[in-house]
Amino acid sequence: MQIRNATDFSLKHTLESGQSFRWNLIDDAYYGVVEGRILKICQIGTTLCVESSATEDKTTFVPFLQHYLDLGRDVPKILTQVNNDAYMHRAIDKLWGMRILNQELWETVASFILSQNNNVSRIRGIIRRLSERFGEQLILARYVDYSFPSPEALATTTEDELLACGVGYRASYLRDAAAAVVSGELALTAVKEMSYPEAKRELMRRKGIGEKVADCICLFSLGHLSALPIDVWIKRIFETLYFRRRATYHEIREFAHAYFGDRVGYAQQYLFHYVHECPNWADVEHLALIETSITACGRES
DNA sequence: TTCCAGGAGAGAG
DNA sequence: CTCTCTCATGGA
């Protein structure tokens, strides 16, 4: 199956930017599991070639995939709004076409609970082992993978089995969240209908979900583009480039919304992925010295 | 060996 | 409110 006219879209930047942990690049095609089926996607120009392990109805599958990849959004317009300085200009130029995915909610909740105090490659390994152990086997041609474990599967296992997958001290957080979904205490269908502040507050009631993880869930699953996950790198960027001093999370949040506007989540993702792709910290500091359009922040007490 | 990674909870001040 | 310590794990 094909999707044409995927303009201003980069499959590579989108799937490799650390918002999903499930995609593997094999011979120019990305293989991943999305909502219970393996997808194989490759991009040739503005055309996406897609294969699925499931039998798909084209009339529903194409809109589903377009929504997952956020293809319906006017991303160039957003990037114009957040292209405020030399550093953002470089990030946007380097990562043109990167989009923020709309991922399945439970998988996103569980994945970012596991992300705390962890690194991307290890998070990927944990999720792969959890899926192999607690998910269902899927096959597309010679590619074998496993669906993301259901809340029921993770709620009824033991912490020892989770530890064997390498989740570490996050085992109790993961099991508690799964149990809350099963019991209905965490109503995911209701969370999907909530506003950004409501959804964030509801998610943060769970142990293991703080501000940053809740913002990742709101941004990478619920489409709340004003969500701003502040990890150590984003904090470092804002402090070096825009504040030139230590800043609290509250200060960064306030400044970022004023500086980038209500699509700050998109700006954040370009900053996050760019600093990981091009970890030239001296360059950041150099830009901080020559940048003049951003001196408004951090002057008052 | 120590440090770090898409942090958060608990406690102290 | 802010600061600090700890948490399990593996790669650098």
Side-chain angles (χ1 to χ4, degrees), chain A residues 6-10 13-14 19 66-67 69-83 88 92 95-102 225 263 265-267 269-270:
Chain A
T7 55
D8 304 306
F9 174 72
S10 167
H13 294 323
T14 300
Q19 45 181 325
Q66 288 173 329
H67 179 252
L69 298 172
D70 211 29
L71 287 172
R73 199 179 299 281
D74 189 350
V75 168
K77 181 181 176 182
I78 294 174
L79 296 180
T80 299
Q81 292 171 353
V82 300
N83 194 355
M88 277 303 297
I92 290 168
L95 302 176
W96 185 259
M98 181 174 66
R99 289 172 187 251
I100 289 178
L101 297 167
N102 296 293
L225 300 189
R263 313 303 175 95
Y266 251 92
Q269 193 61 14
Y270 275 76

Side-chain angles (χ1 to χ4, degrees), chain A residues 87 274-275 278-285:
Chain A
Y87 195 70
Y274 182 60
V275 78
C278 313
N280 187 347
W281 203 247
D283 195 33
V284 178
E285 296 183 330

Side-chain angles (χ1 to χ4, degrees), chain A residues 16 33 44 47 58 65 67-69 92 97 108 150 172 177-178 183 190 209 221 231 250 253 260 277-278 285-286 301:
Chain A
E16 293 185 3
V33 179
I44 302 170
T47 299
K58 187 168 183 175
L65 203 59
H67 179 252
Y68 175 77
L69 298 172
I92 290 168
T108 310
S150 66
S172 64
S183 71
I209 302 183
S221 177
D231 75 316
H250 180 71
R253 195 170 295 284
F260 288 117
E277 285 268 291
C278 313
E285 296 183 330
H286 175 67
S301 59

Side-chain angles (χ1 to χ4, degrees), chain A residues 14-24 111-112 114-129 166 170 212 216 220 231-233 269 272-273 275-277:
Chain A
T14 300
L15 298 185
E16 293 185 3
S17 60
Q19 45 181 325
S20 174
F21 304 104
R22 300 224 71 193
W23 290 96
N24 298 298
S111 295
F112 281 93
L114 297 172
S115 77
Q116 69 150 300
N117 201 23
N118 215 338
N119 60 66
V120 171
S121 68
R122 226 176 74 79
I123 297 164
R124 290 170 57 87
I126 292 170
I127 291 173
R128 177 168 39 76
R129 289 188 289 275
R170 310 163 194 83
K212 189 269 176 184
C216 283
F220 301 140
D231 75 316
V232 291
W233 284 98
Q269 193 61 14
F272 175 84
H273 192 36
V275 78
H276 282 73
E277 285 268 291

